[in-house]
Structures are given as C-alpha cells and as structure tokens.
Amino acid sequence: MRRLSVAVAALAMLLAFTALPASAIFGTATRPFPFPFLRGDHNGGSKCAACTLVVGLLEQQMQIKKVNAETSMDLFCSYLPIKLVTDACYVAVGLYGGKIAPLLDDGETADTVCNAIGMCGSEAPVCRLFPAKKQRTEQEFEAHIRKVRAEAAREGLIGKFNICELIPGVCRVEDHLPFYDADGDRFSTYETLRGTDWRGKDCNDSDATVFPGRNATDAVVDANCNGIFGVDATSGRTYEELYCGGTGAMGVAALGDSATAHFHIPPTYVTAANLSAATFAHLVRNAENELDWPMLSWSTGHLDPNSFYPDISGPKGSLYTHMLDDNLCMHRDYQNLGVNGAKVSNLEPFDLLLARNATSGVKPLLLIMSMIGNDVCHWDHTFATMTKPEQYKAAVIAALEKADTFLPAGSQVVLIPLVDGRILYDTMHNRIHPIGETNKDVTYADLYDFLNCLDTSPCWGWMNSNASVRNGTWAIAESLNAQLPIIAAESIGKYQNFKVNFLGNVFDDALNKYMAEFPGDAWELIEPVDGFHPSQKANSLLGYYLYNVTKTAGLLPAVNPNNAAITARFGDQGGY
Ligand code: CA
C-alpha cells in the first residue's frame, strides 16, 4: 500500500491535485518537505501551477495529435501506469472535464481553464504562464479571468478537489530510512524507497552484523558486503587482510538537500510531443525515489545514467565512483542522506539517520555536509526569513558535535558552502522551457515569474527577474558561507574522531571552470524542468571536481595496489 501511496504522492505533485499547504502534509522544519514544487497556498499556489502545466500539456496535445479536448484528457489518463493513479485521473476528468472541454475546444489557454475550474485562487494579481490568446489585451485578459473565477465560485468548484480526501495515502510522510530492511541495520536489498539507490546493498538482510562499511576480516562471511572474503591458502591470511588491510579504505556519506539527492523531473513529463504510455512507464520507481536520483548523484552515484533513458541520461561519475576506482575495498560503502527541501538546521537530525557507529566496528567515513540552497531559498517574497549567520553557524556546530559522538576515529568532514544561484537566471532566463516547446511561447523567466506570482517558487531569491533580489540573496548566502572557515578554524583540537575541512566554494569553482571552458554549454548544467537544480552533466562534473579537491587536500587514501588482484579474484564484487 505504501508503494502505491508514494507513487500517487509524486503524481499529485505533478498534477497538483492537492489542496493542502505543504506544512499540513509534511510537517515543520524537523521534517523537511520532500517535494519542493508542492509549496505555497496563495493564489492557488502549487495546485494552480501544476494544473496549468497539465492543462497546458492537454492543450498542446490537441494541437499535435489533432484531437479534441475530451480525447486529449482520455489519452492523458490512459498513459498513467497504475490503476489507482489512472482512476484518480478519471475522477478528476469526471469532476472537471465537462467544464474544461468546451473552454479548450474554444481556444482558451490553460491559465483561463485553471481559473475556471477553481484551481487558482481569487487573490490579486492574476497569474499567467502562457500568452493570452484570442487577441485579448492585458486588461481584457484580467477581466476575463475574474469573470471565469466568479463563475467557478458560484458553481462551488473552488477547493472541491482534495487529493488527501480522495486517496488518504497520498498525505503520509516519510522517515528517510530504508522501507524494506528486515534486520534493521539501515541497509536494504530493495532499490528504491531509500534502499540500494541511496545506501550500499545489504548482502544479508537477515543478519544485522552484515552491512557495508564494517571493518571485518571476513574469513568465511562477507560481513562488509564489498564482495571480498575467504582465506588465501598460501599465506593463511584472509583476502580482506591481504588486499584491504592498511589501505586506508573509508566510506563516503552525504548529508544534504535536493541537490545532494539529485532531484530531477523527467523532461518528457512536461513535453507535449512526447506524451504516451512510455512517458510515465517508470512513474512508480521515480515516485518511490521522491523524484531524486541518488544513484546518479555527484556524491554517491554508482549506476549508468543512460540505463534510465528516456527519464534521464548523461555522463556517469561521482565522488564515490572515483574513490572506488582508487580502492575497490570500499565497494558499496556509500550513504546518501539528501532530502528535498532540507537546510542547515536538518544536519543534526540527519546525523542520526546515518548507519556508521564506531561501536559497531566500522571503517572511517568521509562525511560531506552539503546544504547548498534552502537556507536562502523559499517561496516567501522576503529576505527576512532566510537563515541568519548565527543560526547557520550554530546549526553546523551542533551537527559536528553530534557526529563526533558516533563516528569512528580517522573520519573526515567536508563542509560545502551555499552555491551562487545567480547562475540559474543568468543562464536560463531567455531559453524556452519544455512546457513552451510546442509553440515556443514560455521562457524560464516566464516560469520563474509565474511561480513567484503564485507564491510557490522553490526559490524566490534565485528564480527571480529582479537582479537586485538575486544580488541580495547572494549577499546573504555569502554571509552564511563566511561562517564555514571560522567553524573549521575553531574546530582544531575540538573533535575526537574527525578533522573539519572547508575547501572553498568548490561547487561554484567547478561550475565556473566548466563555463569558462565551454561558455555556450552552460545551460546543460541546469535541470531542464525545474530550471533550478544541477543537471546530470553537472552532477558528474561536481563529483569529479570534489574528488580532486579532497584528494589534493589529503583527505583520501592512496591508490590501492591490490585493485587488479581484487578484480581478478572477485570480479564485479557482486555488483550493485
Ligand atoms: Ca568483505
């Protein structure tokens, strides 16, 4: 049941059929909001935004396939992959189809339609994503919208559809730990639902003493799941001792936000020309991963992005894979604790979700703390609610102090600063967004303005046409980043089990280096649908850059001279 409920939750995000504000569904700061697009409850907020996207797709599909509105709606529902979701789609069509069809058939835009069915609120101003059709002036368009809103109110349509009432499972919350974990060691054999896509595979899920990262000799059993075990008959020593002993093998873990988890909405979901059953074939998998792709991320990526085409594609490579190339003993020793919407105040609670306790006999950990955006990102149109420097510093120190209570000696912590998000607007604002692809009529700037108009942008500060807002946001981000070298300096001699490392603005440096070398390709670094997150290409670049920076700083072990012997004896070490 939970499997389905998560799928429907993500679909709800896509379709924005929910009528609740995010806080009502997902709680407050201690439980980060996993779907950044489901925020805001003014002017219809995310419900209006996603209605406009979906109806925009329906309208463009009418043009492309030369069908009427009713057929376009039927086709859309038929593309959805599981019965519960398809049924919800038909319920929505039953509620609104009779109202939507004549408007679309008459050439009205998605903006008009979503106001007419009560999905967009009654507050001023009128928000609009698509250009007005029917040769209306701006004033005529606004008057028209007010008229259809008034009709929707008279007909009782406003607030009528509530996904939490229709399918209550949608509004459940997640705890960011593996759902399928029989022995309770926080490692799983299931890919999604915080399983092996997020943390190394558990090679025995009925024994809590067997899990990735253990510091074990493995004479008989592969207790650390790296595929290396048994005894060498010649020397009488175990292969762990022979091949891994003294090599400095360590694991890698990242505590972070949606950029750490690699948030990505498949562009095919919002490209009308691509709509088919194949478009949504992997909706359940993507929903179970919260629309994140940690198995392809800069920190813990380990699979080939092109094996997930058409949902995603691009170059492979992460901090983990480059560390693994150096030392095959760390196979499967990764943990991704990226959560959509998380910020620096979540670092300490995320510490407690790690599976790395010195009392369990584990190898040292390279722990990346990477909250790169949400302390200056929210949907409010104000600087006032962004994190303050003293709050930022206190939160990072609290997370370090907590980590020092359980991490094994010899670990390393790396602090990643907030990214200069001005790259987003500078790079994307003039480009056509996938939702405007059919008629070349919606730019990223149009989308940013629309989301801000609805008070539902994931980041008012960066995704904003006003340069002074973007520059003001960077000034605040810089004031937060300035705390990190201070924290690192003050940490000397303070923590028993790790060194705290601040390595500069590594992500900005990596992106700027790439843009200097390939100035025309900067847009390839940014997610095409949200216009906000690092793309697959950027993830691969960031992983390689961070590997080089940490290697140069002396945080990583030397290359293991036994790698060839490990491969010769143990092959792919059990794969992933
Ligand atoms: Ca082993």
Side-chain angles (χ1 to χ4, degrees):
M1 188 61 204
R2 171 163 155 165
R3 213 181 127 97
L4 293 181
S5 74
V6 176
V8 178
L11 186 75
M13 185 208 63
L14 194 66
L15 305 184
F17 284 155
T18 178
L20 287 183
S23 58
I25 304 174
F26 293 102
T28 52
T30 53
R31 188 180 291 283
F33 177 53
F35 294 114
F37 286 79
L38 258 188
R39 298 198 285 206
D41 52 0
H42 298 107
N43 298 328
S46 58
K47 188 173 59 166
C48 178
C51 173
T52 307
L53 288 175
V54 171
V55 176
L57 288 174
L58 293 173
E59 183 208 358
Q60 292 169 47
Q61 181 170 246
M62 289 165 63
Q63 295 178 40
I64 293 166
K65 295 180 181 163
K66 301 194 184 340
V67 296
N68 65 14
E70 187 181 346
T71 305
S72 188
M73 288 187 282
D74 280 347
L75 283 172
F76 189 88
C77 289
S78 75
Y79 299 150
L80 299 173
I82 55 175
K83 188 173 182 304
L84 189 62
V85 181
T86 311
D87 288 352
C89 187
Y90 283 120
V91 168
V93 170
L95 271 174
Y96 298 115
K99 186 86 182 173
I100 294 172
L103 289 169
L104 283 182
D105 286 336
D106 194 34
E108 295 285 358
T109 68
D111 295 303
T112 301
V113 170
C114 290
N115 275 282
I117 63 173
M119 288 290 187
C120 300
S122 56
E123 299 93 337
V126 169
C127 304
R128 192 177 76 196
L129 181 62
F130 295 96
K133 280 191 186 173
K134 295 183 155 264
Q135 282 73 47
R136 290 191 181 103
T137 66
E138 200 67 33
Q139 289 78 10
E140 288 167 344
F141 174 77
E142 295 226 357
H144 181 63
I145 291 295
R146 293 188 198 294
K147 178 168 159 276
V148 299
R149 279 178 176 175
E151 282 173 14
R154 275 199 304 277
E155 293 166 14
L157 291 173
I158 292 172
K160 186 173 178 183
F161 194 97
N162 184 334
I163 193 72
C164 295
E165 289 176 3
L166 186 69
I167 312 173
V170 162
C171 300
R172 291 181 192 173
V173 297
E174 303 296 324
D175 58 11
H176 316 309
L177 289 169
F179 182 68
Y180 296 106
D181 176 17
D183 57 14
D185 61 7
R186 299 187 168 187
F187 294 94
S188 179
T189 58
Y190 191 74
E191 291 176 352
T192 57
L193 294 171
R194 297 271 161 180
T196 63
D197 286 344
W198 302 80
R199 300 168 184 240
K201 185 178 182 179
D202 192 344
C203 52
N204 184 344
D205 201 21
S206 57
D207 184 342
T209 67
V210 174
F211 56 85
R214 280 205 62 192
N215 193 10
T217 50
D218 291 2
V220 181
V221 171
D222 183 15
N224 55 16
C225 298
N226 65 358
I228 300 168
F229 65 99
V231 178
D232 172 52
T234 311
S235 65
R237 300 171 68 201
T238 71
Y239 290 113
E240 278 281 349
E241 291 169 321
L242 273 180
Y243 294 158
C244 302
T247 64
M250 65 196 309
V252 62
L255 311 181
D257 48 29
S258 51
T260 292
H262 192 356
F263 185 84
H264 164 86
I265 298 175
T268 50
Y269 285 12
V270 294
T271 307
N274 292 348
L275 287 181
S276 70
T279 303
F280 300 110
H282 299 290
L283 185 68
V284 172
R285 175 196 68 201
N286 298 344
E288 288 183 345
N289 271 346
E290 304 160 39
L291 284 173
D292 294 322
W293 304 75
M295 63 291 202
L296 311 177
S297 67
W298 59 261
S299 59
T300 62
H302 53 277
L303 299 181
D304 179 3
N306 298 315
S307 67
F308 295 94
Y309 183 85
D311 288 6
I312 194 169
S313 59
K316 180 182 177 180
S318 69
L319 177 59
Y320 165 74
T321 58
H322 295 300
M323 288 173 68
L324 182 66
D325 285 344
D326 278 355
N327 190 340
L328 295 175
C329 295
M330 74 171 288
H331 181 61
R332 290 183 183 156
D333 195 357
Y334 59 87
Q335 299 179 48
N336 188 309
L337 276 151
V339 176
N340 301 339
K343 52 199 229 178
V344 75
S345 58
N346 297 113
L347 283 172
E348 186 187 1
F350 286 3
D351 274 340
L352 302 175
L353 303 175
L354 281 167
R356 201 70 163 202
N357 197 315
T359 61
S360 309
V362 288
K363 294 176 185 171
L365 189 66
L366 175 65
L367 178 61
I368 314 290
M369 295 188 174
S370 178
M371 296 298 180
I372 68 166
N374 293 316
D375 289 278
V376 296
C377 281
H378 50 226
W379 57 97
D380 290 341
H381 296 217
T382 176
F383 298 111
T385 50
M386 295 177 182
T387 304
K388 306 284 187 293
E390 59 274 19
Q391 296 171 329
Y392 185 85
K393 185 180 180 189
V396 173
I397 289 174
L400 292 170
E401 289 177 348
K402 180 71 72 182
D404 200 36
T405 63
F406 61 85
L407 281 185
S411 296
Q412 297 281 357
V413 175
V414 174
L415 305 176
I416 306 279
L418 287 102
V419 165
D420 183 354
R422 292 178 297 182
I423 183 179
L424 303 170
Y425 189 88
D426 292 347
T427 306
M428 303 302 277
H429 72 278
N430 271 336
R431 297 185 59 82
I432 296 291
H433 188 273
I435 193 65
E437 195 55 47
T438 305
N439 298 308
K440 312 289 186 226
D441 57 356
V442 179
T443 64
Y444 283 86
D446 292 333
L447 178 72
Y448 296 161
D449 289 344
F450 178 62
L451 294 175
N452 282 327
C453 179
L454 294 173
D455 292 353
T456 194
S457 172
C459 195
W460 168 81
W462 297 138
M463 299 160 75
N464 199 306
S465 301
N466 185 334
S468 64
V469 170
R470 302 195 302 274
N471 291 333
T473 302
W474 176 234
I476 292 175
E478 280 189 303
S479 75
L480 303 183
N481 289 346
Q483 304 307 307
L484 296 180
I486 298 171
I487 293 167
E490 291 175 355
S491 73
I492 296 168
K494 185 175 175 186
Y495 302 110
Q496 302 296 308
N497 297 311
F498 52 77
K499 180 170 171 277
V500 178
N501 302 276
F502 173 68
L503 305 173
N505 292 10
V506 284
F507 284 2
D508 286 341
D509 293 347
L511 298 176
N512 287 333
K513 179 172 182 291
Y514 178 84
M515 287 170 65
E517 291 170 4
F518 306 99
D521 296 342
W523 61 272
E524 292 187 17
L525 300 175
I526 296 166
E527 270 297 306
V529 175
D530 60 51
F532 181 49
H533 290 92
S535 66
Q536 181 59 47
K537 185 168 202 165
N539 269 270
S540 170
L541 285 166
L542 295 174
Y544 185 60
Y545 197 88
L546 188 58
Y547 163 76
N548 281 308
V549 169
T550 47
K551 187 93 176 172
T552 303
L555 310 188
L556 307 185
V559 172
N560 184 350
N562 307 312
N563 284 338
I566 292 170
T567 301
R569 178 161 295 277
F570 297 105
D572 73 352
Q573 298 170 263
Y576 291 99

